[in-house]
Amino acid sequence: MPEKLSLTELQLIIRDSLYIALPDMYWVIAEISEIRENYAGHCYLELIEKHPDDKNVRARAKAIIWSSRYRFLKSFFENTTGESLKEGLKILVKIKVEYHELYGLSLVVSDIDPAFTIGEMAIKRQQIIKQLEQEGVFSMNRELEFPAVPQRIAVISSSNAAGYTDFINQLTLNSYGYVFYTALIETAMQGTETENGVISALDKIAENFHLFDIVVIIRGGGSQTDLSWFDNYKIAYYVTQFPLPVVTGIGHDKDMSVTDMVANKSLKTPTAVADFLVDCVADAENHLIEMGTEIAGISAKILEKNRYIIDTFSIKLLPLARIMLSNFKDKLSGEIIGIMNFGKEYTFRAGLILASQESKLISEVKSYYSVKESGLQRNIQYLNSFTFNALSGSSIKLSGLMNALNILNPENVLHRGYSITSLNGRILKKSDQVNTDDIIDTQFIDGSVSSRVLAKEK
Amino acid sequence: MAKKEFSFNDAVIEIEDILKNIESGQLDVDKLSVEVKRASELIKLCQKKLRSTEEEINSIFKDLV
């Protein structure tokens, strides 16, 4: 019958054998698949190795970091990488293989190389960046125009995160009194749920994107920052395709995640995001005020210029007007004097003319009268004498005529023995006035006789 | 409510236009006062928009979350 061993005895044999077979420390590359800290501060890990192609787990081991060592390694790792030790992270750790009869095999971690993780993360990040660039989407969100007044904000965060409260306080208590509208879409901001959580939050916002100006992705800062959750291809891709500008404040001092890189604006903390948004609005308002000031200034200048033109006009016009006025006044007073003088002269002259005319008229009328009178007198005298002469001459002529007439009176001829022969009342002077058988009358002083013409002789 | 929503950006563009107009110096003095008045109105409206809360937006956001 072979020798029988108690379980303890067996475990001790294994422990001693391993101790002898693996006496050294080994640097081992592994991925953390589980990590937890217990009440005493010890850190329990499950380390795995995935097949590079099919990603199936092909090795698995438990590991432990004793609390005394863990306190140091944790802060050293976080300070160097900006990452906390978490699931999915690839690490290079120095281990000692130990075997405990009660707890079995465990890898006791005594050291960690953060540079390896940084390198791994950088490689992973570079791969994502390269992929996004190859797809031509890397800068799509960055090319969106950032709104001048980002007042309506969709916030992706977790409500219990310190960062969210900081953000809201910083935003709402801004010194300018600007109003901001925020809608919180809650999701896990770290851990394995981050990817799906952030993407579904983005989807929800995208359905109502017209209600918002921007999307803000924020989470608390501090040492518990796991940047690598946002070194995530899916999240980064969603951000690049998002119709609104995305602003990140996922709390990292040293490095940027891919999500930060593709976001429209990336800031270190939620508080910084709030400050940035307040500054944006302040800039927009300043732009307004500057334009207002400029408008006021230019308008004032234009008005001033116009006023100056008017002033110069009035400055030029005033003396000109004065000169014109005084010239006019002079001219006017000259004319008044002229008119007055003329008037005086005229009235004086008119007076003179009148007086002289009057006397002249009077004298002329007088002389006219006297001339006329004397003419008349002369005419009267002349007429008188003429009439007298004429009458006296006429009476002389008349008496002579009377004498002549007396001598010429046929009666006197008849007296002297002459007779007058007439035919039908007409006195006959020639023999051819009578024909034979005409009855002719012959007047004598004492009567007449009628005779028939018997014959005519020449 | 058929009231057209006041747009900060549109207002800024209009103010910029007014500024350009005034800067060009081709605006006559009579139109100047109208433009200046319009600009100051728009600036006031913009400042009001930055500072006074529109409860409508708040309630929409509440329903959304």
Side-chain angles (χ1 to χ4, degrees), chain A residues 4-20 62 97-106:
Chain A
K4 290 186 181 83
L5 295 171
S6 71
L7 184 60
T8 308
E9 284 169 336
L10 178 66
Q11 292 288 63
L12 289 173
I13 293 166
I14 296 168
R15 190 189 73 179
D16 293 344
S17 305
L18 282 173
Y19 187 78
I20 293 157
K62 282 180 190 167
V97 180
E98 283 187 4
Y99 195 86
H100 192 273
E101 56 276 20
L102 193 60
Y103 306 111
L105 185 82
S106 69

Side-chain angles (χ1 to χ4, degrees), chain A residues 434-439 452-456:
Chain A
V434 228
N435 297 314
T436 29
D437 291 331
D438 280 345
I439 307 282
R452 179 162 317 185
V453 178
L454 297 170
K456 269 180 54 168

Side-chain angles (χ1 to χ4, degrees), chain A residues 7 87 117:
Chain A
L7 184 60
E87 297 95 338
T117 305

Side-chain angles (χ1 to χ4, degrees), chain A residues 176 179 181 285 287 294, chain B residues 16 23 47 50-51 54 65:
Chain A
Y176 301 96
V179 170
Y181 309 92
E285 193 183 17
H287 180 51
E294 215 165 322
Chain B
E16 281 170 346
E23 274 177 332
Q47 289 184 315
L50 298 183
R51 289 189 173 81
E54 290 170 57
V65 177

